[in-house]
């Protein structure tokens, strides 16, 4: 039986074993090779040294980290429910929301939940449609799904096929979800280098999609270098079958961060990993491997780079971005180790695999991103736990900047960055390691706040619902949205409070 604790008295100084020190050296030396983002299909557990296993086991035995699958959380968070995986056994990925429904991506397809009772979400539909990583969004009656693995064709019955074969397919899939119990696959658009993630820019008659993909190769016919931009797709709402690519804006005419021997340990930029748009301000922020960028999107078909920053000391892979509500800050995440490594420990330290907080200063095309500070969860994790900054969202509280964020096996963290240079955690939820003897990929992929609750899609354990009760965040409970795609960041206070 899983036990529940509301506080954690102490934390072991994990990561000082030789195994952790060795990992740190490997991460620094290997550069882009270890920065391939996001765990793919779950493979065999990584074997750890005897010292690392002993370190984790001793910490669990002493009660200094949670036991295997044991749940711990701060006093202001309650765990309301967990819905395990069902027909879709692959890696759970991102989340989107509409009305009373949640849409949960999985490397094998997607699942739709009815959230009418957050203590007992009901499965409405499960759609088998393999194609990592199945990044997911919704807009009106349309659902969009990213395919970033080379497939034999664009159908949901396709099989894996080498990217070196010209007939292989990767890109965007589009479903009609007017009947939530029976989604229908209606269109597909092939994109260069696939679609690792995508971001919606909804207009009245059309939906624009910014497709992020990367890692071209001369041996891939449909993913040739250089690949220094993003793909823009236009989707007519009433005729999604007519969806097509309308532009491929080059965001890095100089090629972007060279990484490699020039900037050891930093990914070479060859596209973007993820983009967040704040349509109410005509702004977007891009996390692009070795670069962070600020974009003007007044013309959604032609996004324009306003500013660009690098962190060649502490960032390995610029993974995602989040604006604060006032659009004068951006939080960028660094996915050190690709999401599969144990990087939340003393050896790695507080600045690598962390969030970078940037203020936006100036006006118009003269706006600049100015670094202010780092945030990383303050709880060290075991050497068997993959842990690094991942997907999160703003919690809508006027006058404060507060986020909830996934950290893989580091769990879910609620933190305040109102003071950009002094961020602090104000709540957390996590499970103990999936395994005490092997590095088994697991933990929260995405943790988002939607209409009064926190929803987390755990890679291995399923769909979690959390309730946050805290005077600092309670005002957010009055904010209601009809739809939420986190990377299409809403202006929360344009909506009426209940």
């Amino acid at each position: 039986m899983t036990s529940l604790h509301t506080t954690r008295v102490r934390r072991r100084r994990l990561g000082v074993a030789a195994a952790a020190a060795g990992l740190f050296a490997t991460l620094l030396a290997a550069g882009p090779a270890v920065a391939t983002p996001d765990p793919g299909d779950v493979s065999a557990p990584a074997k750890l040294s005897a010292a690392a296993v002993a370190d984790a086991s001793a910490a669990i035995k002493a009660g200094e980290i949670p036991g295997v699958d044991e749940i711990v959380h701060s006093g202001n968070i309650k765990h309301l429910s967990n819905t395990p995986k069902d027909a879709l056994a692959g890696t759970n990925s991102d989340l989107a929301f509409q009305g009373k429904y949640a849409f949960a991506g999985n490397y094998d397809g997607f699942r739709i939940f009815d959230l009418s009772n957050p203590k007992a979400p009901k499965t409405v539909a499960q759609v088998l449609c393999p194609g990592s990583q199945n990044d997911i969004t919704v807009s009106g009656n349309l659902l969009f799904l990213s395919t970033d693995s080379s497939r034999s064709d664009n159908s949901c019955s396709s099989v894996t096929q080498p990217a070196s074969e010209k007939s292989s397919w990767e890109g965007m899939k589009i479903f009609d979800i007017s009947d939530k119990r029976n989604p229908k696959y209606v269109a597909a658009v092939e994109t260069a280098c696939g679609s690792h993630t995508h971001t919606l820019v909804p207009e009245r008659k059309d939906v624009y999609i910014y497709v992020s993909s990367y890692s071209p190769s001369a041996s891939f016919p449909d993913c040739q270098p250089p690949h220094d931009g993003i793909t823009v797709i236009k989707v007519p709402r009433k005729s999604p079958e007519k969806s097509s690519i309308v532009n491929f804006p080059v965001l890095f005419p100089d090629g972007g961060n060279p990484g490699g021997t020039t900037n050891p340990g930093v990914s070479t930029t060859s596209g973007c990993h993820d983009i967040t748009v704040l349509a109410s301000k005509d702004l977007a922020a891009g996390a692009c491997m070795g670069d962070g960028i600020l974009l003007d999107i007044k013309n959604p078909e032609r996004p324009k780079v306003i500013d660009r920053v690098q962190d060649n000391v502490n960032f390995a892979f610029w993974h995602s971005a989040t604006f604060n509500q006032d659009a004068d800050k951006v939080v960028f995440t660094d996915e050190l180790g690709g999401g599969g490594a144990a990087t939340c420990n003393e050896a790695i330290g507080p600045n690598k695999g962390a969030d970078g907080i940037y203020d936006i200063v100036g006006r118009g095309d003269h706006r600049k991103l100015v670094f202010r500070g780092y945030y990383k969860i303050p709880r060290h994790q075991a050497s068997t736990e993959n842990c690094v900054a991942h997907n999160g969202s703003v919690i809508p509280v006027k006058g404060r900047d507060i986020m909830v964020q996934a950290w893989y096996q580091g769990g879910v963290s609620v933190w305040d960055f109102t003071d950009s240079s002094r961020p602090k955690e104000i709540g957390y939820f996590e499970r103990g390691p999936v395994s005490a003897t092997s590095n088994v990929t697991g933990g929260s992929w995405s943790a988002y706040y939607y209409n009064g609750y926190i929803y987390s899609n755990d890679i291995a354990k399923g769909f979690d619902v959390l309730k946050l009760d805290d005077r600092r965040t309670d005002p957010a409970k009055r904010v209601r949205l009809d739809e939420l795609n986190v990377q299409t960041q809403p202006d929360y206070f344009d909506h009426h409070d209940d």
Side-chain angles (χ1 to χ4, degrees):
M1 184 76 175
T2 300
S3 62
L4 245 157
H5 301 291
T6 56
T7 59
R8 182 171 304 165
V9 178
R10 52 205 170 118
R11 289 299 299 211
R12 182 177 173 83
R13 288 167 55 116
L14 292 171
V16 295
L23 170 64
F24 183 47
T26 300
L27 289 171
L28 287 178
V34 299
T36 303
D38 301 332
D41 301 324
V42 176
S43 56
K47 292 183 178 180
L48 300 173
S49 71
V53 171
D55 192 49
S57 298
I60 291 172
K61 186 176 181 180
E64 293 162 343
I65 66 168
V68 171
D69 288 341
E70 180 185 9
I71 289 175
V72 295
H73 56 80
S74 55
N76 55 359
I77 288 180
K78 296 178 182 178
H79 185 210
L80 297 185
S81 63
N82 171 262
T83 307
K85 293 180 183 180
D86 190 12
L88 305 177
T91 296
N92 279 337
S93 57
D94 212 0
L95 295 168
F97 304 90
Q98 187 180 82
K100 66 178 183 179
Y101 298 102
F103 304 82
N106 179 285
Y107 277 45
D108 288 339
F110 64 93
R111 189 174 183 178
I112 303 177
F113 293 100
D114 183 331
L115 305 176
S116 298
N117 180 3
K119 294 181 179 180
K122 294 180 180 179
T123 298
V124 173
Q126 295 189 75
V127 177
L128 180 65
C129 196
S132 64
Q133 58 184 4
N134 278 340
D135 192 45
I136 192 167
T137 58
V138 293
S139 183
N141 288 329
L142 299 178
L143 179 147
F144 304 91
L145 208 61
S146 282
T147 299
D148 193 37
S149 61
S150 186
R151 313 295 298 179
S152 55
D153 55 53
N154 66 8
S155 74
C156 284
S157 59
S158 66
V159 296
T160 300
Q161 184 168 290
S164 56
E165 293 188 22
K166 177 61 180 172
S167 63
S168 295
W169 186 91
E170 298 179 67
M172 289 299 310
K173 294 170 181 169
I174 305 172
F175 292 78
D176 183 322
I177 54 168
S178 51
D179 180 356
K180 301 294 188 293
R181 297 184 179 277
N182 185 31
K184 295 180 180 179
Y185 184 14
V186 295
V189 179
E190 186 171 13
T191 58
C193 303
S195 175
H196 192 74
T197 67
H198 69 272
T199 304
L200 302 187
V201 186
E203 302 287 339
R204 182 166 298 184
K205 295 182 179 179
D206 306 304
V207 179
Y208 288 96
I209 305 174
Y210 291 166
V211 175
S212 295
S213 56
Y214 51 89
S215 295
S217 169
S219 64
F220 300 160
D222 297 322
C223 183
Q224 290 285 301
H227 185 72
D228 296 323
I230 58 173
T231 301
V232 181
I233 296 173
K234 184 177 181 179
V235 180
R237 288 189 184 276
K238 294 184 178 180
S239 304
E241 70 280 358
K242 296 180 181 179
S243 301
S244 62
I245 295 170
V246 293
N247 197 14
F248 184 87
V250 174
L251 305 179
F252 302 97
D254 65 350
N257 197 321
T261 56
T262 303
N263 296 315
V266 179
S267 293
T268 300
T269 298
S270 61
C272 291
H273 177 274
D274 210 352
I275 291 171
T276 293
V277 301
L278 191 57
S280 63
K281 307 292 186 183
D282 290 325
L283 276 179
C288 302
M289 304 182 73
D291 295 270
I293 56 175
L294 189 65
L295 298 137
D296 181 318
I297 59 166
K298 287 188 183 72
N299 182 342
E301 291 189 18
R302 290 176 169 78
K304 179 179 67 176
V305 176
I306 299 172
D307 194 29
R308 172 176 147 198
V309 289
Q310 297 177 354
D311 181 346
N312 296 320
V313 175
N314 287 313
F315 262 46
F317 190 96
W318 295 68
H319 175 274
S320 52
T322 303
F323 289 99
N324 69 335
Q325 182 59 36
D326 291 336
D328 58 8
K329 298 177 187 176
V330 181
V331 174
F332 289 103
T333 66
D334 172 25
E335 196 183 45
L336 174 69
T343 68
C344 298
N345 53 49
E346 188 177 43
I348 301 300
N351 296 336
K352 295 179 183 295
D355 296 316
I357 305 161
Y358 287 76
D359 284 356
I360 302 173
V361 300
R363 295 185 178 184
D365 289 350
H366 300 290
R367 283 172 285 191
K368 298 290 182 183
L369 293 164
V370 179
F371 174 76
R372 296 301 188 201
Y374 295 108
Y375 172 75
K376 192 171 182 179
I377 56 173
R379 299 171 309 286
H380 288 156
Q381 305 296 306
S383 52
T384 61
E385 294 180 281
N386 61 298
C387 175
V388 76
H390 216 241
N391 293 348
S393 74
V394 166
I395 297 178
V397 178
K398 286 184 178 180
R400 300 199 70 83
D401 298 323
I402 301 176
M403 272 189 74
V404 59
Q405 186 176 6
W407 289 78
Y408 288 127
Q409 287 194 68
V412 174
S413 178
V414 179
W415 60 287
D416 188 315
F417 62 103
T418 305
D419 183 339
S420 304
S421 61
R422 295 175 181 266
K424 60 182 179 180
E425 182 172 80
I426 61 174
Y428 69 87
F429 166 90
E430 68 168 279
R431 289 182 171 87
V434 177
S435 169
T437 58
S438 302
N439 190 339
V440 180
T441 299
S444 178
W445 177 290
S446 297
Y448 299 144
Y449 187 92
Y450 177 68
N451 289 355
Y453 297 91
I454 293 171
Y455 298 95
S456 167
N457 213 17
D458 188 292
I459 291 169
K461 299 299 179 181
F463 182 69
D464 288 304
V465 184
L466 310 177
K467 183 68 178 296
L468 174 64
D469 290 306
D470 190 293
R471 60 178 177 76
R472 293 164 291 191
T473 58
D474 283 347
K477 295 176 182 178
R478 297 192 296 269
V479 178
R480 289 291 183 268
L481 299 178
D482 297 325
E483 192 171 271
L484 177 64
N485 301 293
V486 168
Q487 286 74 38
T488 306
Q489 202 168 316
D491 186 341
Y492 287 97
F493 302 113
D494 270 356
H495 295 75
H496 295 293
D497 296 348
D498 283 353

